[in-house]
Short mmCIF file of all heavy atoms in Angstrom, two decimals:
data_model
loop_
_atom_site.label_atom_id
_atom_site.label_comp_id
_atom_site.label_asym_id
_atom_site.label_seq_id
_atom_site.Cartn_x
_atom_site.Cartn_y
_atom_site.Cartn_z
N LEU E 168 -134.37 104.71 -239.48
CA LEU E 168 -135.61 103.98 -239.71
C LEU E 168 -135.49 103.15 -240.98
O LEU E 168 -134.82 103.55 -241.93
CB LEU E 168 -136.78 104.96 -239.84
CG LEU E 168 -137.06 105.82 -238.61
CD1 LEU E 168 -138.14 106.84 -238.92
CD2 LEU E 168 -137.46 104.98 -237.40
N ALA E 169 -136.17 102.00 -240.96
CA ALA E 169 -136.16 101.13 -242.15
C ALA E 169 -136.71 101.91 -243.35
O ALA E 169 -137.61 102.74 -243.20
CB ALA E 169 -137.01 99.89 -241.88
N ASP E 170 -136.16 101.60 -244.53
CA ASP E 170 -136.56 102.34 -245.73
C ASP E 170 -138.03 102.18 -246.06
O ASP E 170 -138.64 103.06 -246.67
CB ASP E 170 -135.73 101.87 -246.93
CG ASP E 170 -134.29 102.37 -246.84
OD1 ASP E 170 -134.08 103.34 -246.07
OD2 ASP E 170 -133.42 101.79 -247.51
N ASN E 171 -138.58 101.00 -245.67
CA ASN E 171 -139.98 100.78 -246.04
C ASN E 171 -140.97 101.37 -245.02
O ASN E 171 -142.18 101.27 -245.18
CB ASN E 171 -140.25 99.28 -246.22
CG ASN E 171 -139.95 98.50 -244.95
OD1 ASN E 171 -139.48 99.08 -243.96
ND2 ASN E 171 -140.22 97.20 -244.97
N LEU E 172 -140.45 101.97 -243.97
CA LEU E 172 -141.32 102.58 -242.97
C LEU E 172 -141.78 103.95 -243.47
O LEU E 172 -140.95 104.78 -243.87
CB LEU E 172 -140.55 102.73 -241.65
CG LEU E 172 -141.32 102.98 -240.37
CD1 LEU E 172 -142.25 101.81 -240.05
CD2 LEU E 172 -140.34 103.21 -239.22
N GLU E 173 -143.06 104.15 -243.47
CA GLU E 173 -143.59 105.45 -243.91
C GLU E 173 -143.40 106.46 -242.78
O GLU E 173 -143.69 106.17 -241.62
CB GLU E 173 -145.08 105.31 -244.22
CG GLU E 173 -145.72 106.62 -244.67
CD GLU E 173 -147.25 106.52 -244.79
OE1 GLU E 173 -147.78 105.40 -244.92
OE2 GLU E 173 -147.89 107.57 -244.74
N ILE E 174 -142.89 107.64 -243.13
CA ILE E 174 -142.73 108.68 -242.11
C ILE E 174 -143.78 109.76 -242.36
O ILE E 174 -143.89 110.28 -243.47
CB ILE E 174 -141.33 109.31 -242.15
CG1 ILE E 174 -140.26 108.23 -241.94
CG2 ILE E 174 -141.21 110.39 -241.08
CD1 ILE E 174 -138.85 108.77 -241.91
N ARG E 175 -144.54 110.06 -241.32
CA ARG E 175 -145.52 111.15 -241.42
C ARG E 175 -145.07 112.29 -240.52
O ARG E 175 -144.85 112.09 -239.33
CB ARG E 175 -146.90 110.66 -240.98
CG ARG E 175 -147.49 109.65 -241.95
CD ARG E 175 -148.91 109.27 -241.57
NE ARG E 175 -149.34 108.14 -242.39
CZ ARG E 175 -150.27 107.25 -242.03
NH1 ARG E 175 -150.88 107.39 -240.85
NH2 ARG E 175 -150.60 106.26 -242.82
N VAL E 176 -144.95 113.45 -241.11
CA VAL E 176 -144.56 114.63 -240.33
C VAL E 176 -145.80 115.49 -240.13
O VAL E 176 -146.50 115.81 -241.08
CB VAL E 176 -143.47 115.44 -241.08
CG1 VAL E 176 -143.03 116.64 -240.24
CG2 VAL E 176 -142.28 114.56 -241.42
N HIS E 177 -146.08 115.81 -238.88
CA HIS E 177 -147.29 116.56 -238.55
C HIS E 177 -146.91 117.99 -238.16
O HIS E 177 -146.13 118.18 -237.23
CB HIS E 177 -148.03 115.88 -237.40
CG HIS E 177 -148.37 114.44 -237.71
ND1 HIS E 177 -149.55 114.08 -238.31
CD2 HIS E 177 -147.66 113.30 -237.54
CE1 HIS E 177 -149.56 112.76 -238.48
NE2 HIS E 177 -148.43 112.26 -238.03
N ASP E 178 -147.45 118.96 -238.87
CA ASP E 178 -147.13 120.36 -238.63
C ASP E 178 -148.18 120.96 -237.70
O ASP E 178 -149.34 121.13 -238.08
CB ASP E 178 -147.08 121.10 -239.98
CG ASP E 178 -146.37 122.44 -239.87
OD1 ASP E 178 -146.03 122.86 -238.74
OD2 ASP E 178 -146.15 123.07 -240.93
N SER E 179 -147.75 121.27 -236.49
CA SER E 179 -148.67 121.76 -235.46
C SER E 179 -149.09 123.20 -235.74
O SER E 179 -148.40 123.93 -236.44
CB SER E 179 -147.97 121.72 -234.10
OG SER E 179 -147.27 120.52 -233.94
N THR E 180 -150.21 123.56 -235.15
CA THR E 180 -150.67 124.95 -235.27
C THR E 180 -151.07 125.46 -233.90
O THR E 180 -151.10 124.72 -232.92
CB THR E 180 -151.88 125.09 -236.20
OG1 THR E 180 -153.02 124.48 -235.53
CG2 THR E 180 -151.67 124.42 -237.52
N ALA E 181 -151.43 126.74 -233.86
CA ALA E 181 -151.88 127.33 -232.60
C ALA E 181 -153.14 126.63 -232.10
O ALA E 181 -153.44 126.64 -230.91
CB ALA E 181 -152.13 128.82 -232.79
N ASP E 182 -153.88 126.00 -233.00
CA ASP E 182 -155.18 125.43 -232.63
C ASP E 182 -155.18 123.91 -232.55
O ASP E 182 -156.19 123.32 -232.18
CB ASP E 182 -156.25 125.86 -233.64
CG ASP E 182 -156.29 127.37 -233.78
OD1 ASP E 182 -156.36 128.04 -232.73
OD2 ASP E 182 -156.21 127.87 -234.91
N LEU E 183 -154.09 123.27 -232.95
CA LEU E 183 -154.02 121.81 -232.89
C LEU E 183 -152.57 121.38 -232.70
O LEU E 183 -151.71 121.70 -233.51
CB LEU E 183 -154.57 121.18 -234.18
CG LEU E 183 -154.51 119.65 -234.24
CD1 LEU E 183 -155.39 119.01 -233.18
CD2 LEU E 183 -154.92 119.13 -235.62
N ARG E 184 -152.33 120.65 -231.61
CA ARG E 184 -150.99 120.12 -231.34
C ARG E 184 -151.03 118.61 -231.44
O ARG E 184 -152.10 118.01 -231.40
CB ARG E 184 -150.53 120.54 -229.94
CG ARG E 184 -150.03 121.97 -229.86
CD ARG E 184 -151.12 122.90 -229.45
NE ARG E 184 -150.86 124.30 -229.77
CZ ARG E 184 -150.32 125.18 -228.93
NH1 ARG E 184 -149.98 124.81 -227.73
NH2 ARG E 184 -150.12 126.42 -229.29
N TYR E 185 -149.86 118.02 -231.55
CA TYR E 185 -149.77 116.57 -231.70
C TYR E 185 -148.94 115.94 -230.59
O TYR E 185 -148.11 116.61 -229.97
CB TYR E 185 -149.14 116.22 -233.05
CG TYR E 185 -149.97 116.63 -234.23
CD1 TYR E 185 -149.78 117.86 -234.85
CD2 TYR E 185 -150.96 115.78 -234.74
CE1 TYR E 185 -150.55 118.25 -235.93
CE2 TYR E 185 -151.73 116.17 -235.82
CZ TYR E 185 -151.53 117.39 -236.41
OH TYR E 185 -152.29 117.77 -237.48
N LEU E 186 -149.19 114.67 -230.37
CA LEU E 186 -148.40 113.88 -229.44
C LEU E 186 -148.17 112.52 -230.10
O LEU E 186 -149.13 111.87 -230.54
CB LEU E 186 -149.17 113.68 -228.13
CG LEU E 186 -148.48 112.81 -227.09
CD1 LEU E 186 -147.35 113.58 -226.40
CD2 LEU E 186 -149.49 112.33 -226.03
N VAL E 187 -146.91 112.12 -230.20
CA VAL E 187 -146.62 110.81 -230.80
C VAL E 187 -146.77 109.73 -229.72
O VAL E 187 -146.28 109.88 -228.60
CB VAL E 187 -145.20 110.79 -231.39
CG1 VAL E 187 -144.86 109.38 -231.89
CG2 VAL E 187 -145.06 111.80 -232.52
N ILE E 188 -147.47 108.65 -230.06
CA ILE E 188 -147.48 107.47 -229.20
C ILE E 188 -146.39 106.54 -229.73
O ILE E 188 -146.55 105.92 -230.78
CB ILE E 188 -148.84 106.73 -229.25
CG1 ILE E 188 -149.98 107.68 -228.86
CG2 ILE E 188 -148.81 105.51 -228.32
CD1 ILE E 188 -151.36 107.01 -228.87
N PRO E 189 -145.26 106.47 -229.02
CA PRO E 189 -144.18 105.62 -229.52
C PRO E 189 -144.58 104.15 -229.46
O PRO E 189 -145.51 103.78 -228.75
CB PRO E 189 -143.01 105.90 -228.55
CG PRO E 189 -143.49 106.90 -227.57
CD PRO E 189 -144.96 107.09 -227.73
N LYS E 190 -143.85 103.33 -230.22
CA LYS E 190 -144.10 101.88 -230.13
C LYS E 190 -143.57 101.36 -228.79
O LYS E 190 -142.48 101.73 -228.36
CB LYS E 190 -143.38 101.17 -231.28
CG LYS E 190 -144.23 101.06 -232.52
CD LYS E 190 -143.45 100.41 -233.65
CE LYS E 190 -143.16 98.94 -233.36
NZ LYS E 190 -142.35 98.35 -234.46
N ARG E 191 -144.36 100.49 -228.20
CA ARG E 191 -143.91 99.88 -226.94
C ARG E 191 -142.69 99.01 -227.21
O ARG E 191 -142.71 98.18 -228.13
CB ARG E 191 -145.05 99.04 -226.36
CG ARG E 191 -144.70 98.36 -225.05
CD ARG E 191 -145.94 97.71 -224.48
NE ARG E 191 -145.62 96.92 -223.29
CZ ARG E 191 -146.54 96.46 -222.45
NH1 ARG E 191 -147.82 96.69 -222.68
NH2 ARG E 191 -146.19 95.77 -221.39
N PRO E 192 -141.61 99.18 -226.45
CA PRO E 192 -140.41 98.38 -226.70
C PRO E 192 -140.70 96.89 -226.53
O PRO E 192 -141.57 96.51 -225.74
CB PRO E 192 -139.41 98.87 -225.64
CG PRO E 192 -139.95 100.16 -225.14
CD PRO E 192 -141.43 100.11 -225.32
N ALA E 193 -139.94 96.08 -227.24
CA ALA E 193 -140.08 94.63 -227.11
C ALA E 193 -139.63 94.18 -225.72
O ALA E 193 -138.88 94.88 -225.04
CB ALA E 193 -139.24 93.95 -228.19
N HIS E 194 -140.10 93.03 -225.32
CA HIS E 194 -139.71 92.39 -224.06
C HIS E 194 -140.08 93.22 -222.83
O HIS E 194 -139.34 93.27 -221.86
CB HIS E 194 -138.20 92.09 -224.03
CG HIS E 194 -137.70 91.49 -225.31
ND1 HIS E 194 -138.18 90.28 -225.81
CD2 HIS E 194 -136.81 91.93 -226.22
CE1 HIS E 194 -137.58 90.02 -226.96
NE2 HIS E 194 -136.75 91.00 -227.24
N THR E 195 -141.19 93.90 -222.91
CA THR E 195 -141.62 94.68 -221.75
C THR E 195 -142.96 94.16 -221.21
O THR E 195 -143.62 94.86 -220.45
CB THR E 195 -141.78 96.18 -222.11
OG1 THR E 195 -142.70 96.29 -223.22
CG2 THR E 195 -140.46 96.81 -222.51
N GLU E 196 -143.32 92.95 -221.64
CA GLU E 196 -144.64 92.41 -221.27
C GLU E 196 -144.83 92.32 -219.77
O GLU E 196 -145.94 92.49 -219.27
CB GLU E 196 -144.84 91.01 -221.88
CG GLU E 196 -144.88 90.97 -223.39
CD GLU E 196 -143.49 91.07 -224.04
OE1 GLU E 196 -142.47 91.07 -223.30
OE2 GLU E 196 -143.42 91.15 -225.28
N SER E 197 -143.74 92.06 -219.04
CA SER E 197 -143.90 91.85 -217.59
C SER E 197 -143.91 93.17 -216.81
O SER E 197 -144.08 93.18 -215.60
CB SER E 197 -142.77 90.96 -217.08
OG SER E 197 -141.54 91.61 -217.31
N MET E 198 -143.68 94.26 -217.51
CA MET E 198 -143.55 95.53 -216.79
C MET E 198 -144.89 96.13 -216.42
O MET E 198 -145.86 96.04 -217.17
CB MET E 198 -142.81 96.55 -217.66
CG MET E 198 -141.33 96.29 -217.76
SD MET E 198 -140.56 97.70 -218.61
CE MET E 198 -138.88 97.14 -218.64
N GLY E 199 -144.91 96.78 -215.27
CA GLY E 199 -146.11 97.50 -214.84
C GLY E 199 -146.13 98.90 -215.46
O GLY E 199 -145.17 99.33 -216.09
N GLU E 200 -147.25 99.58 -215.20
CA GLU E 200 -147.47 100.86 -215.85
C GLU E 200 -146.39 101.90 -215.49
O GLU E 200 -145.92 102.64 -216.37
CB GLU E 200 -148.85 101.37 -215.45
CG GLU E 200 -149.48 102.27 -216.47
CD GLU E 200 -150.91 102.59 -216.07
OE1 GLU E 200 -151.67 101.65 -215.75
OE2 GLU E 200 -151.26 103.78 -216.07
N SER E 201 -146.00 101.96 -214.23
CA SER E 201 -145.04 103.00 -213.86
C SER E 201 -143.65 102.68 -214.41
O SER E 201 -142.89 103.59 -214.77
CB SER E 201 -145.01 103.21 -212.35
OG SER E 201 -144.69 102.02 -211.70
N GLU E 202 -143.33 101.39 -214.46
CA GLU E 202 -142.06 101.00 -215.07
C GLU E 202 -142.04 101.39 -216.55
O GLU E 202 -141.04 101.86 -217.08
CB GLU E 202 -141.91 99.48 -214.98
CG GLU E 202 -140.83 98.98 -214.04
CD GLU E 202 -140.78 97.45 -214.08
OE1 GLU E 202 -141.85 96.80 -213.91
OE2 GLU E 202 -139.70 96.92 -214.31
N LEU E 203 -143.17 101.14 -217.20
CA LEU E 203 -143.27 101.49 -218.62
C LEU E 203 -143.17 102.99 -218.82
O LEU E 203 -142.48 103.47 -219.73
CB LEU E 203 -144.60 100.98 -219.19
CG LEU E 203 -144.72 99.47 -219.40
CD1 LEU E 203 -146.16 99.08 -219.69
CD2 LEU E 203 -143.80 99.01 -220.54
#
Side-chain angles (χ1 to χ4, degrees):
Chain E
L168 298 174
D170 287 341
N171 59 357
L172 196 62
E173 179 188 339
I174 302 182
R175 292 186 190 154
V176 182
H177 303 270
D178 196 353
S179 316
T180 70
D182 306 310
L183 179 64
R184 282 93 199 266
Y185 295 93
L186 177 76
V187 175
I188 304 181
K190 271 177 68 183
R191 180 172 174 167
H194 316 300
T195 56
E196 295 78 5
S197 62
M198 285 188 181
E200 208 173 311
S201 58
E202 249 181 308
L203 287 168

